[in-house]
Amino acid sequence: EAQVTQNPRYLITVTGKKLTVTCSQNMNHEYMSWYRQDPGLGLRQIYYSMNVEVTDKGDVPEGYKVSRKEKRNFPLILESPSPNQTSLYFCASSPLGVQGSSKNIQYFGAGTRLSVL
Amino acid sequence: GDSVTQMEGPVTLSEEAFLTINCTYTATGYPSLFWYVQYPGEGLQLLLKATKADDKGSNKGFEATYRKETTSFHLEKGSVQVSDSAVYFCALTRAGGTSYGKLTFGQGTILTVHP
């Protein structure tokens, strides 16, 4: 089954304790992305990657890091989490292709709900 | 920059009622437009899309038409069901440049359908 898998689904941590949220896709997609979802703001892009070793900032990258060492994995790293990073996080993937074509449909994981105390 | 504005929610309807969720956008060029749906406890799923002006996207009884003259992509369904209760997001993406692949989302509209 084609899917994007995030782990963990729920996480409660304390300020300053480094954490990693994993994301893995089994569709051989080149493009992967992280979003955060906050009430009244919709989803905002944190980082994206167009292929292995190619990553770039989205709209809200401060306080986050990513890496893309393998095509299927795109972990999100919070080196020193703060309470303002409490949010619902989504990983997404899609194949590269002509913008707007059916190939550009992004597939989302089920989400990771993070609370930073 | 690009932006998407959705109607204020939440929206509460009775089963079989008509649904409209308004969506307007601001973007340069010719964006592609999407509606995503998020059922409770799940990730986002693509509901429908339109890639050029006057295109109509449709799926599961939902429809939306890409109106470039009014920069709108309103979601409609003639008869909602309890199972349609979810959060609906309007989104756009633009071709090329440094924003490749980025989806710009509206704030989401919570829909609750009562029996």
Side-chain angles (χ1 to χ4, degrees):
Chain A
E1 179 189 354
Q3 58 186 0
V4 178
T5 303
Q6 294 178 229
N7 280 297
R9 292 290 311 278
Y10 303 92
L11 180 59
I12 301 174
T13 189
V14 296
T15 299
K17 186 176 181 182
K18 181 179 178 180
L19 66 91
T20 299
V21 183
T22 64
C23 173
S24 179
Q25 50 93 4
N26 63 0
M27 296 169 277
N28 201 37
H29 287 166
E30 294 87 359
Y31 184 89
M32 297 186 74
S33 180
W34 278 102
Y35 294 86
R36 59 177 289 173
Q37 181 182 0
D38 301 292
L41 297 177
L43 282 78
R44 294 174 293 167
Q45 191 183 55
I46 303 171
Y47 268 95
Y48 68 95
S49 169
M50 294 181 71
N51 217 323
V52 174
E53 302 292 0
V54 181
T55 64
D56 207 347
K57 298 176 180 179
D59 292 326
V60 288
E62 294 79 19
Y64 304 94
K65 286 176 56 178
V66 293
S67 68
R68 188 88 181 275
K69 292 184 170 55
E70 305 166 284
K71 197 172 187 180
R72 63 183 293 126
N73 296 322
F74 190 46
L76 179 69
I77 302 156
L78 285 72
E79 294 270 5
S80 182
S82 62
N84 65 12
Q85 293 178 298
T86 292
S87 187
L88 179 58
Y89 292 87
F90 288 100
C91 180
S93 75
S94 74
L96 283 179
V98 175
Q99 194 75 309
S101 75
S102 60
K103 289 185 177 181
N104 280 92
I105 295 170
Q106 292 198 25
Y107 297 84
F108 284 80
T112 296
R113 188 167 292 281
L114 171 65
S115 294
V116 183
L117 305 177
Chain B
D2 300 340
S3 67
V4 176
T5 302
Q6 290 180 233
M7 66 183 290
E8 295 285 334
V11 174
T12 303
L13 296 172
S14 297
E15 209 165 23
E16 299 184 2
F18 184 85
L19 168 71
T20 299
I21 301 178
N22 290 337
C23 171
T24 57
Y25 68 90
T26 301
T28 56
Y30 299 92
S32 295
L33 303 174
F34 305 85
W35 277 99
Y36 278 84
V37 58
Q38 183 181 26
Y39 298 105
E42 298 184 12
L44 279 74
Q45 304 173 25
L46 179 68
L47 181 59
L48 53 85
K49 65 178 175 67
T51 58
K52 62 183 186 296
D54 300 325
D55 267 3
K56 177 185 282 188
S58 61
N59 186 25
K60 299 181 180 180
F62 291 90
E63 293 184 338
T65 301
Y66 188 150
R67 300 285 188 203
K68 191 161 180 64
E69 64 277 11
T70 55
T71 61
S72 65
F73 193 55
H74 305 321
L75 182 68
E76 296 181 337
K77 187 175 185 182
S79 176
V80 294
Q81 306 299 312
V82 173
S83 57
D84 293 327
S85 297
V87 183
Y88 291 82
F89 290 94
C90 186
L92 68 82
T93 189
R94 280 199 290 119
T98 58
S99 63
Y100 181 92
K102 185 181 85 170
L103 284 164
T104 298
F105 286 90
Q107 65 269 43
T109 300
I110 301 171
L111 171 66
T112 303
V113 180
H114 293 296

